[in-house]
Amino acid sequence: MLDIDLAATCFGQDDADDTGTSHLHRPISPPWAQSLHPHVPVEDVEPDSSISCEYIEPFPSRYKAGTGWKPPNGILTKFDAIRLEQKGNLYAPFNDINDWKLGMWLVKNVGQRQTEVFLKLPFVQKEVKPSYSNNRSLLKKMDALPTQGCPWICDIINIESNQLNDNGTPMKSEKQEFWRRDPVECTKHLLRDPTLRDSLAFAPERIYVDEAGTQRKYSQMWTANWWWDTQENLPVGATVAPVILSSDKTQLSRFGGDKSAWPVYMTLGNINKAKRRQPNAHATILIGYLPVPNLDTISEDARSNKGHNLFHYCMRRLLRPLVEAGREGVDVVCADGLMCHVFPILAAYVADFPEQCLVACCKESRCPRCREFEESALRSQEQARVILSHKESGRRVPRFYEDGMRPVFNPFWKYLPHTDIFSCFTPDDHVAEWCTQIAGEEIDARFRAMSAFTGLRHFGKGISLVTQWMGKEHKEMQRVFVGLLTGAVQPTVLRTAVATFHENKHVFVEAGIRVDFNIPKIHSMMHYHDSIETHGSLDGYNTESPERLHIEFAKDAYHASNKRQYVSQMTTWLSCQEAITRFDAYVEWLEKRTGTHFTAKHPSYPHLDVETIMQDFRASQFLTAL
């Protein structure tokens, strides 16, 4: 057992892959070597004493983790299959690339009425001559795009009332629509998306910052312990697809009204966390809209439990395909053209504290990860299943009340294979204020001394004088915070400070200043260490990402509807937008494959002769490449 030191990783340092370089783990012909291999995170640089190396321990080759093989004849990657179907017209159902670009611009930037007016203009009809004459024909072409995503399924949820009318008859039941997608099909879509090819990993590994292998580095999910441990429990040749879910209820109406939606998002731990955080990378898929009922026909004392059980019922239906796929695996042709046997397994659930308690079937006065705030005894999914089963049978179960559980006897995670829901929760907090107080003026001095660089904000007066932190300022500060913190604050100091606080906080209770310290934000710090070791650095699981996705997947979709039965219209609008985005990516891929290039209208270095290009720009093979 190695003595693991989190000195460089407790605050989520990004590795070299976050710069966008390729990190494609695909052992086409194993085995991987068992010894530690140095990996310099800068390409084409000779290693020397001034360069910090990373030493990679690959997963044992006998498991053949992430191994891919050539698929049978006739099975192609997504874009290759589309190109084959297009035959003569590579841009079908549009006439050519200009016809497609105009249609895409109209759908994304112009309203339906304005589109109708634009297409009726004599100039457009005589000179441009698009293949669509009105808005309706344009939308029909968009619906015929070959890049349609996973289909939507609508379930009608009937919520029976437990109250009576004045005449003694039962109140009318409440009907709610539940829109969902197949998460297994969404997993396949992400793995075979050619735009994500260079951001995918297929096997776990361990990274060390020293050649002796004593200092471990945690960053991406595939560098942490959960993937490594899960891989050992799967058949030889298996590829793990760590499913990361996130859900958050949000308001749809801007200035008034009570319209709201409850989106559920899904992404994969195979994707580089820097890529997952980019909304325009489309590395996260909306897989469901949970119903948001009024429950006004349910008595007040039963309303809360009814809402909790309804949530788990819907999530159980949503994630049902993961049960068999997680046990048996599914064959998927990935973005690199190789087929692999994939096991989609729920690995992480990103949510705020109240929603974590909802998922864990516990009260909000308790921690969703451990049994009590005062003790750090982690909850066990198997024990929770037994406790809920005994409680449902009518037995007296003291542990049910000791653990602060709720009467949800059939939680959605009950039968998910290889999943421990309580270890899936990741903390969403930061300790920047503590670090600033410990380091003192040194932090401000380092911020002031930092040289200017494109894309990074320079805090000329430091950060201690900032009186109001907005989301933008906080994000800009955190981009450089870890680097500036190195050497100013030792991780041992922070761990000691947290331990000292928990050892002595009872003084405030004894003095009557506080009744208890059951404060989720403070208590969650106890789980930082474990979360980083199991799932990687915490910047890959911030709730800011799903909140940002609300703009496109909820708010914009809602405002594109007529506000009546809006969820069905939202799914239709989103399906169209997704098809357009994927087809645009396909066209870009097609241009690269067919050798289509665009030159700058006003180049930075115009009128250069060949000799100058070869000498001044060190392009010695320029003529050979022509």
Side-chain angles (χ1 to χ4, degrees):
M1 180 67 68
L2 293 174
D3 182 19
I4 295 173
D5 183 6
L6 300 181
T9 63
C10 285
F11 296 94
Q13 286 184 320
D14 289 349
D15 58 14
D17 301 315
D18 290 344
T19 62
T21 58
S22 173
H23 203 304
L24 184 63
H25 293 232
R26 176 64 82 182
I28 299 178
S29 34
W32 273 346
Q34 295 298 299
S35 59
L36 300 181
H37 294 273
H39 168 69
V40 182
V42 180
E43 295 184 356
D44 302 327
V45 177
E46 293 294 332
D48 56 44
S49 57
S50 63
I51 298 177
S52 176
C53 289
E54 295 176 353
Y55 295 87
I56 298 179
E57 177 189 2
F59 196 73
S61 60
R62 66 180 181 274
Y63 290 98
K64 299 182 179 180
T67 301
W69 64 91
K70 289 293 183 180
N73 294 334
I75 301 179
L76 304 172
T77 60
K78 181 66 175 176
F79 284 177
D80 284 324
I82 294 175
R83 185 180 182 182
L84 186 63
E85 292 174 0
Q86 301 291 65
K87 296 181 180 179
N89 183 6
L90 298 179
Y91 304 97
F94 293 88
N95 291 341
D96 51 38
I97 188 171
N98 294 324
D99 194 38
W100 151 249
K101 291 289 185 180
L102 175 60
M104 180 181 67
W105 181 82
L106 289 172
V107 172
K108 282 188 169 290
N109 299 281
V110 183
Q112 296 189 30
R113 292 183 180 178
Q114 290 81 0
T115 299
E116 194 77 29
V117 173
F118 175 82
L119 293 175
K120 296 297 183 183
L121 292 175
F123 169 79
V124 174
Q125 293 179 343
K126 294 180 180 179
E127 302 296 333
V128 181
K129 298 180 181 179
S131 60
Y132 35 87
S133 58
N134 51 45
N135 184 69
R136 181 180 177 83
S137 60
L138 172 59
L139 294 180
K140 281 187 175 182
K141 284 185 175 291
M142 293 299 178
D143 292 338
L145 289 174
T147 52
Q148 300 297 323
C150 304
W152 284 92
I153 303 170
C154 180
D155 297 329
I156 303 298
I157 308 298
N158 190 32
I159 306 173
E160 297 290 343
S161 172
N162 67 345
Q163 297 191 93
L164 301 177
N165 291 312
D166 295 337
N167 58 5
T169 59
M171 285 187 174
K172 187 177 180 181
S173 60
E174 182 179 358
K175 295 184 182 297
Q176 288 285 329
E177 292 182 350
F178 171 39
W179 290 84
R180 59 186 175 88
R181 279 168 158 171
D182 188 336
V184 175
E185 292 300 319
C186 294
T187 300
K188 294 179 180 179
H189 166 76
L190 289 173
L191 289 177
R192 62 189 180 202
D193 187 347
T195 62
L196 301 176
R197 172 174 177 166
D198 294 335
S199 301
L200 290 172
F202 297 94
E205 64 185 21
R206 289 172 177 166
I207 299 180
Y208 302 90
V209 296
D210 64 324
E211 190 172 2
T214 59
Q215 290 187 325
R216 181 90 175 268
K217 176 179 178 179
Y218 299 89
S219 179
Q220 304 286 352
M221 178 175 276
W222 57 81
T223 67
N225 294 336
W226 178 89
W227 194 334
W228 189 284
D229 296 339
T230 303
Q231 189 78 55
E232 292 178 339
N233 297 323
L234 295 177
V236 174
T239 298
V240 178
V243 175
I244 303 174
L245 295 180
S246 57
S247 59
D248 183 36
K249 191 186 299 185
T250 182
Q251 286 293 123
L252 298 176
S253 46
R254 292 176 178 172
F255 302 107
D258 58 349
K259 305 297 184 182
S260 58
W262 201 337
V264 181
Y265 305 109
M266 190 194 86
T267 185
L268 297 178
N270 308 79
I271 305 172
N272 187 299
K273 62 182 179 181
K275 198 73 166 180
R276 295 201 309 261
R277 292 195 299 258
Q278 299 173 9
N280 60 354
H282 304 285
T284 301
I285 296 181
L286 176 70
I287 63 171
Y289 282 118
L290 299 177
V292 187
N294 295 321
L295 298 179
D296 49 4
T297 62
I298 306 297
S299 59
E300 188 173 349
D301 59 336
R303 191 171 298 165
S304 178
N305 286 337
K306 190 71 172 180
H308 297 152
N309 280 276
L310 177 62
F311 169 82
H312 282 270
Y313 171 78
C314 294
M315 289 295 294
R316 190 166 62 250
R317 298 196 66 164
L318 176 64
L319 302 181
R320 185 180 300 167
L322 290 181
V323 177
E324 182 178 357
R327 289 175 181 164
E328 306 297 333
V330 291
D331 290 337
V332 181
V333 178
C334 298
D336 56 2
L338 298 179
M339 178 175 284
C340 53
H341 197 56
V342 175
F343 288 76
I345 300 171
L346 178 59
Y349 200 114
V350 181
D352 54 20
F353 180 77
E355 197 146 336
Q356 288 182 1
C357 294
L358 174 63
V359 173
C361 305
C362 72
K363 299 178 180 179
E364 293 185 18
S365 59
R366 302 301 182 94
C367 173
R369 288 200 56 162
C370 60
R371 292 183 57 199
E372 298 180 8
F373 272 118
E374 296 298 325
E375 301 177 4
S376 196
L378 296 179
R379 296 176 183 267
S380 167
Q381 178 163 313
E382 185 59 33
Q383 291 180 359
R385 288 175 55 185
V386 173
I387 292 171
L388 292 172
S389 178
H390 288 178
K391 181 65 177 177
E392 184 182 17
S393 65
R395 303 182 190 180
R396 184 176 178 274
V397 188
R399 182 75 176 271
F400 178 85
Y401 301 99
E402 293 173 3
D403 290 0
M405 302 189 71
R406 294 186 180 276
V408 180
F409 302 125
N410 199 10
F412 73 83
W413 38 262
K414 188 175 182 178
Y415 298 111
L416 289 178
H418 309 290
T419 296
D420 183 358
I421 192 64
F422 304 113
S423 66
C424 289
F425 301 126
T426 55
D428 179 42
D429 203 352
H430 306 280
V431 291
E433 185 176 351
W434 281 28
C435 296
T436 304
Q437 292 178 0
I438 294 173
E441 297 180 357
E442 176 67 17
I443 290 293
D444 282 342
R446 293 188 176 204
F447 270 99
R448 289 193 295 267
M450 187 182 75
S451 58
F453 187 80
T454 305
L456 297 179
R457 176 172 175 174
H458 183 255
F459 291 84
K461 298 182 180 180
I463 61 174
S464 60
L465 298 179
V466 179
T467 57
Q468 184 176 7
W469 286 98
M470 303 300 289
K472 180 180 179 181
E473 287 80 8
H474 204 74
K475 183 186 298 183
E476 291 171 340
M477 181 269 290
Q478 289 184 6
R479 286 178 178 173
V480 297
F481 188 73
V482 175
L484 296 180
L485 197 66
T486 304
V489 178
Q490 295 298 323
T492 306
V493 176
L494 294 176
R495 290 198 290 267
T496 303
V498 174
T500 303
F501 168 76
H502 285 289
E503 290 172 1
N504 298 279
K505 63 186 179 183
H506 63 86
V507 175
F508 296 95
V509 178
E510 294 171 356
I513 299 176
R514 285 196 61 88
V515 178
D516 57 49
F517 272 90
N518 296 345
I519 303 173
K521 289 292 184 181
I522 294 179
H523 175 78
S524 65
M525 294 181 184
M526 300 176 64
H527 300 302
Y528 276 32
H529 186 277
D530 292 337
S531 294
I532 293 172
E533 283 190 335
T534 56
H535 291 84
S537 57
L538 302 183
D539 56 340
Y541 311 98
N542 197 299
T543 55
E544 182 180 330
S545 296
E547 289 172 356
R548 167 61 180 82
L549 294 174
H550 285 340
I551 298 176
E552 178 180 352
F553 290 116
K555 301 181 185 298
D556 288 350
Y558 171 74
H559 291 290
S561 70
N562 62 7
K563 315 303 185 294
R564 296 187 181 92
Q565 296 182 341
Y566 52 86
V567 180
S568 62
Q569 298 177 53
M570 290 167 65
T571 57
T572 302
W573 184 84
L574 285 171
S575 296
C576 179
Q577 296 295 316
E578 289 173 352
I580 292 173
T581 301
R582 294 189 189 109
F583 194 76
D584 191 45
Y586 162 72
V587 170
E588 183 178 350
W589 171 86
L590 194 62
E591 291 172 349
K592 293 179 180 178
R593 293 287 295 269
T594 55
T596 302
H597 301 283
F598 298 93
T599 58
K601 185 176 181 180
H602 302 288
S604 302
Y605 300 94
H607 311 299
L608 297 179
D609 54 49
V610 173
E611 184 177 357
T612 301
I613 294 175
M614 296 176 64
Q615 292 181 358
D616 295 354
F617 292 88
R618 299 180 180 179
S620 58
Q621 303 297 323
F622 180 75
L623 284 178
T624 305
L626 289 178

